[in-house]
Amino acid sequence: MSLDEYRRKRNFAETPEPRGRAGARGRRRQPIFVVQKHAASRLHYDFRLEINGVLASWAVPKGPSMNPAEKRLAVMTEDHPLEYSDFEGVIPKGQYGAGTVMVWDRGSYESENRIPVEEQLARGKIDVTLHGNKLRGGFTLLETGQRSTGGRRAKNWLLIKHRDEYADESWSIEAPALSRSVVSGLTLKEIARRHV
């Protein structure tokens, strides 16, 4: 896992995003996850899991769901630095991913089985329990499609909520109670105004 692609896509003299550094944190705490709501050319949510000192990342066009019946497309993107879990602001026009970014949810996670999460990633199926403010309980990330002959990962995955005590078939990501940042308490529009 590397930050080379992340850095290659960004001009850090222009964007406020963190340059970051890859490096595992101490083992005395649980790894983190973060979901960022991103009003780029198209509104989407970025789902990120701390794995081997970076944030493995997937763009989820419709956002995560607490309804197990809703399987969400999750397109794997470049790894991001751990410092990105705190990033909230506006990426300027002309920069990669231009638009407003909100820390929509974050917390810790744990593997749901005894297989280390980096091995699960390599196998193409990750089972985790999230301990967030908005997302809680079990989730699966499942790789779909074929890998290339060079062993490169397929881009398309599915993000699926487990049927557990946190599952909610009436859950809607559009609910007003879910529209604010878990860090600043601001909406996307308020974050954009603050960073003009």
Side-chain angles (χ1 to χ4, degrees):
M1 304 189 90
S2 164
L3 296 177
D4 292 345
E5 185 178 355
Y6 169 84
R7 290 181 180 136
R8 190 169 41 251
K9 290 181 173 182
R10 289 161 177 85
N11 177 351
F12 295 102
E14 300 291 330
T15 183
E17 298 167 281
R19 181 173 176 78
R21 60 183 177 79
R25 292 184 182 178
R27 290 283 182 191
R28 55 187 181 274
R29 61 151 190 82
Q30 289 183 312
I32 62 168
F33 84 93
V34 64
V35 179
Q36 284 158 312
K37 189 173 183 179
H38 189 176
S41 56
R42 292 178 192 232
L43 180 67
H44 65 280
Y45 294 74
D46 293 305
F47 183 87
R48 310 186 199 282
L49 293 175
E50 178 185 351
I51 302 175
N52 286 343
V54 297
L55 294 170
S57 300
W58 293 261
V60 184
K62 293 185 177 180
S65 178
M66 294 293 285
N67 182 350
E70 295 178 339
K71 295 175 175 64
R72 300 296 202 193
L73 172 66
V75 181
M76 193 168 211
T77 64
E78 73 275 12
D79 295 336
H80 283 55
L82 290 175
E83 295 92 337
Y84 211 93
S85 65
D86 296 321
F87 177 69
E88 188 167 271
V90 177
I91 301 169
K93 287 182 182 179
Q95 297 303 306
Y96 179 78
T100 307
V101 178
M102 166 204 289
V103 179
W104 184 80
D105 195 19
R106 71 178 177 184
S108 64
Y109 80 89
E110 57 192 304
S111 174
E112 284 206 343
N113 52 48
R114 294 179 185 211
I115 302 168
V117 72
E118 56 270 20
E119 287 182 33
Q120 293 183 59
L121 174 64
R123 293 178 184 191
K125 182 176 184 237
I126 301 172
D127 289 303
V128 292
T129 299
L130 302 181
H131 306 286
N133 294 287
K134 298 173 182 175
L135 301 179
R136 299 189 65 77
F139 284 82
T140 293
L141 273 162
L142 182 63
E143 187 176 23
T144 64
Q146 299 292 322
R147 294 186 190 191
S148 70
T149 54
R152 290 178 51 109
R153 301 222 61 89
K155 290 272 187 188
N156 291 343
W157 293 59
L158 293 175
L159 178 62
I160 307 162
K161 175 74 184 97
H162 294 184
R163 294 191 182 279
D164 58 21
E165 68 269 27
Y166 298 105
D168 182 355
E169 292 180 6
S170 67
W171 194 85
S172 170
I173 202 161
E174 301 297 328
L178 300 175
S179 68
R180 297 191 171 272
S181 163
V182 296
V183 171
S184 65
L186 301 175
T187 65
L188 275 174
K189 287 182 181 177
E190 291 166 342
I191 293 167
R193 282 197 300 268
R194 176 182 276 190
H195 291 85
V196 170

